[in-house]
Amino acid sequence: METSERLPQEHRKLFRERMNLGVWFKSGEPWVWLTATAVGTSIIAVLGLIGIIAVKGLAHFWPADVITFEYESELGEQQISGEVVQRERVPRAQFEESGAGRAIDISGDPTRLMIKSGNRRVNPPDFRWIYTHDITKQEKQQDLITFERLEWGNAYGTIVELRQDGNAVSTVNPWRELKKRIGRVVDLRRQAKSIQNRSIDRINYKLEKLRLKQRKRELQGNFNTSDLDWQREQLNQEYALREHELNDINVELDRDTVVIAIAGGRESVIPLKNIVRAWQPNAMNVFSKFGHYCASIWAFLSEGSREANTEGGVFPALFGTVLMVLLMSVLVTPFGVVAAVYLREYARQGVFVRLIRIAVNNLAGVPSIVYGVFGLGFFVYLVGGTIDSVFFQAAKPAPTFGTPGLIWASLTLALLTVPVVIVSTEEGLTRIPKSLREGSLALGATKAETLFKVVLPMASPSMLTGVILAIARAAGEVAPLMLVGVVKLAPTLPVDGNFPFLHLDRKFMHLGFHIYDVGYQSPNVDAARPLVFATALLLVIIIIVLNLTAITLRNRLEARYREAMN
């Protein structure tokens, strides 16, 4: 009897649970939780990726200790000094199959260290693998110095002697004297760079303008160039004077050298003009290392690249990226807004307008490389070639605008991102109540006044949303830029002190292409790997900063017009 009564109760309980579960699914709450989980997972993945990039990139600038290792190898007892870059375990089976070492008397998998030993010019290579079981001795010498050079990478060693004009310099504290002389070299190098950029480049620019002016007169049949010859003579005299000053500085730069002893007992002679800076990492405390760390990051942001982009800074690429994105934003905004306003406010709604909207939406899915090919053919060859034929005949056969450059890269990216701005702006125009337009017209305003004083200001948050999405996509594009203006190494920046100051025809560097070049085209992959992470982090930060700026402006505009919308 008890069993027969218990069964209906259990069935009713199970039925209620199933009903509650069905109601729960019908309420949509499971999909809310699923969406929240997906969003949370995506955020964690993005933050984790940025964290990995930040750790691997920023760790490169920390002044690591330089350790001297003595180890056994097939060539006998060896000694090197360097920084420990990487530590990894090698499966024992793989180690034994490779025949990389002798029989080892250890349990488990052997461990090996990647050592950045530097001194590539006299003792290559500058990265070596050492198994920990082969190491017989290791120590940190307090007087060991790291030299950052303009070429050939880092050098590690201790001072043997300083030389001035080939003669040994007698000094009580060689390290202090070395720092003093490096500071002198840095000042001289800065003076030489100033003369080159501000004087010699300016003179060369003016001489080229005079040549083009003379050529233009010759094409017009005017061969009277006496006034141009006088200006050219003045510029040549100034050029000779600046060149003499530059030669004097170069002589001063050649004065000092330093002889260092590297691991293994060998010596190396380094001209001080090739040294960027030097430090003693093993003798530095935490505060001095942090100061060096900040200075290294600043140098990375403010200096140009060296050694096929594997060393130095990324300022030209940083400057080119920001300038191109700003120009692209200035170009894409009016085109996108005008197209959206016409489609929504003026065009008669019908089949033709619907086809245009479909085409705009389809353009957003076209691969970016297709835009690059179109930009090369239309903007560079057709538009740029026409401009050269009409306005720059004197410069032919050398192209002025008929070659890839900053303006064509900006226009190509503007064309790539204009569908995003059109769609976003049109959605903003759709959300504006019709009563606001009618009220403005009823008060006597024309349709144009209503558009510019009522509709567009209220749709500005949606416009900025489109610009935000355009910036986020354009800043990271690389494929089309390779065809329409970006280069591995640009000789000059697009902005300088020569009229018209902003040179839209010049080629430029870009952080995205810089990452590709350093990561896949570098002759020294191990040296370039940290710079790939650091540059990638910088590009992500730039995109975030630009987006946050636009988002802040959008939120302020939304707050201003929210009451009117309601």
Side-chain angles (χ1 to χ4, degrees):
M1 188 70 179
E2 293 179 358
T3 305
S4 61
E5 292 180 354
R6 189 184 302 118
L7 286 175
Q9 293 179 358
E10 292 178 353
H11 289 167
R12 286 195 296 269
K13 182 179 179 182
L14 182 61
F15 178 75
R16 285 195 301 268
E17 290 178 353
R18 289 180 177 177
M19 288 296 295
N20 292 335
L21 188 61
V23 172
W24 186 58
F25 270 100
K26 290 181 180 180
S27 67
E29 188 174 351
W31 315 120
V32 174
W33 281 101
L34 183 62
T35 303
T37 303
V39 172
T41 303
S42 301
I43 293 175
I44 293 173
V46 171
L47 293 179
L49 177 61
I50 295 176
I52 292 174
I53 295 174
V55 170
K56 290 185 174 294
L58 295 178
H60 169 68
F61 303 105
W62 186 261
D65 292 336
V66 179
I67 305 174
T68 302
F69 294 93
E70 293 183 6
Y71 64 99
E72 295 288 342
S73 71
E74 296 177 354
L75 301 176
E77 186 75 19
Q78 300 288 324
Q79 185 183 64
I80 64 167
S81 296
E83 305 173 12
V84 178
V85 177
Q86 184 178 342
R87 177 190 295 265
E88 68 176 22
R89 287 187 175 275
V90 179
R92 192 180 187 92
Q94 178 182 342
F95 172 79
E96 294 175 351
E97 290 177 0
S98 65
R102 306 173 305 278
I104 54 176
D105 187 19
I106 61 173
S107 59
D109 298 330
T111 302
R112 65 177 183 175
L113 308 176
M114 175 183 277
I115 309 298
K116 183 180 180 181
S117 58
N119 302 312
R120 183 167 72 242
R121 186 170 188 177
V122 296
N123 189 26
D126 56 344
F127 285 87
R128 305 162 187 257
W129 287 101
I130 302 177
Y131 284 95
T132 54
H133 59 265
D134 289 334
I135 298 175
T136 58
K137 182 182 179 181
Q138 64 182 53
E139 63 175 342
K140 295 181 182 179
Q141 297 175 257
Q142 295 296 308
D143 59 345
L144 203 59
I145 303 173
T146 300
F147 297 90
E148 182 181 346
R149 298 182 289 184
L150 291 175
E151 55 185 9
W152 297 104
N154 287 354
Y156 305 98
T158 56
I159 300 175
V160 176
E161 67 176 6
L162 294 171
R163 295 176 182 174
Q164 178 176 325
D165 295 325
N167 301 317
V169 176
S170 178
T171 177
V172 177
N173 192 330
W175 169 238
R176 182 178 300 174
E177 183 66 21
L178 175 65
K179 290 195 297 182
K180 178 181 176 181
R181 291 175 181 258
I182 290 177
R184 170 183 171 275
V185 167
V186 171
D187 292 337
L188 289 173
R189 195 185 295 125
R190 187 179 297 114
Q191 294 175 24
K193 184 178 180 181
S194 177
I195 293 174
Q196 180 68 45
N197 294 341
R198 297 183 181 180
S199 299
I200 294 181
D201 288 351
R202 175 181 57 84
I203 294 171
N204 287 330
Y205 184 81
K206 290 184 177 180
L207 287 172
E208 178 63 16
K209 288 294 184 182
L210 289 177
R211 187 190 70 81
L212 295 177
K213 187 179 293 186
Q214 179 177 342
R215 176 59 179 165
K216 186 176 182 180
R217 290 185 182 181
E218 292 174 354
L219 292 175
Q220 296 173 351
N222 182 4
F223 296 94
N224 182 12
T225 60
S226 57
D227 57 331
L228 301 181
D229 293 337
W230 181 83
Q231 295 179 40
R232 187 179 292 107
E233 180 64 25
Q234 297 296 318
L235 291 173
N236 286 331
Q237 291 179 6
E238 185 180 358
Y239 184 90
L241 179 62
R242 300 304 179 190
E243 188 177 29
H244 181 72
E245 294 178 359
L246 192 60
N247 290 335
D248 290 342
I249 292 177
N250 289 330
V251 171
E252 290 294 318
L253 285 171
D254 291 331
R255 190 191 74 174
D256 298 328
T257 56
V258 60
V259 182
I260 65 171
I262 66 176
R266 301 178 63 180
E267 293 186 354
S268 176
V269 180
I270 305 176
L272 261 61
K273 69 176 183 180
N274 293 336
I275 297 177
V276 178
R277 54 181 175 167
W279 63 94
Q280 291 180 319
N282 299 338
M284 298 170 68
N285 55 32
V286 175
F287 298 102
S288 57
K289 284 190 174 185
F290 182 75
H292 179 93
Y293 178 75
C294 295
S296 298
I297 294 178
W298 173 248
F300 174 73
L301 297 176
S302 61
E303 295 180 358
S305 57
R306 308 188 303 268
E307 289 282 85
N309 291 340
T310 59
E311 296 178 8
V314 293
F315 177 74
L318 171 62
F319 185 86
T321 301
V322 175
L323 181 60
M324 185 210 64
V325 170
L326 293 178
L327 285 175
M328 183 276 303
S329 302
V330 171
L331 292 171
V332 73
T333 303
F335 284 115
V337 171
V338 168
V341 169
Y342 173 76
L343 292 174
R344 177 55 55 183
E345 301 292 330
Y346 290 96
R348 180 178 297 177
Q349 304 301 314
V351 177
F352 181 70
V353 172
R354 286 198 295 271
L355 290 176
I356 291 178
R357 289 198 177 96
I358 293 173
V360 168
N361 292 329
N362 289 335
L363 282 176
V366 174
S368 60
I369 189 64
V370 176
Y371 286 96
V373 175
F374 175 81
L376 180 65
F378 180 75
F379 291 129
V380 177
Y381 293 150
L382 181 59
V383 179
T386 304
I387 292 175
D388 285 352
S389 299
V390 176
F391 299 102
F392 298 97
Q393 290 183 355
K396 285 188 171 183
T400 303
F401 281 93
T403 185
L406 176 63
I407 182 63
W408 307 135
S410 301
L411 281 171
T412 301
L413 289 185
L415 186 65
L416 185 148
T417 55
V418 72
V420 178
V421 179
I422 292 175
V423 172
S424 179
T425 303
E426 198 171 357
E427 290 179 356
L429 294 172
T430 304
R431 289 199 301 266
I432 297 176
K434 187 177 181 181
S435 58
L436 291 177
R437 296 180 176 86
E438 295 174 347
S440 176
L441 295 173
L443 292 174
T446 64
K447 189 171 184 178
E449 290 174 337
T450 301
L451 176 66
F452 286 103
K453 295 184 178 181
V454 178
V455 176
L456 288 182
M458 297 184 68
S460 55
S462 297
M463 298 179 196
L464 284 175
T465 300
V467 173
I468 292 169
L469 297 174
I471 288 174
R473 181 176 182 186
E477 285 292 346
V478 177
L481 299 180
M482 296 170 64
L483 300 176
V484 292
V486 72
V487 291
K488 173 186 177 72
L489 184 63
T492 55
L493 294 176
V495 176
D496 59 19
N498 300 317
F499 183 82
F501 310 117
L502 176 59
H503 303 275
L504 299 176
D505 58 310
R506 289 183 182 175
K507 295 177 175 61
F508 66 102
M509 297 178 66
H510 186 271
L511 286 174
F513 183 76
H514 187 80
I515 294 171
Y516 165 77
D517 178 67
V518 175
Y520 294 96
Q521 305 294 326
S522 173
N524 194 344
V525 177
D526 293 322
R529 187 180 296 113
L531 292 181
V532 172
F533 288 106
T535 308
L537 176 64
L538 179 60
L539 181 59
V540 171
I541 291 175
I542 289 174
I543 296 174
I544 292 174
V545 169
L546 291 174
N547 286 346
L548 288 179
T549 303
I551 290 171
T552 302
L553 293 175
R554 181 191 64 185
N555 291 339
R556 290 184 178 181
L557 292 173
E558 283 183 345
R560 178 184 300 178
Y561 297 111
R562 185 177 293 115
E563 295 181 359
M565 292 284 289
N566 297 331

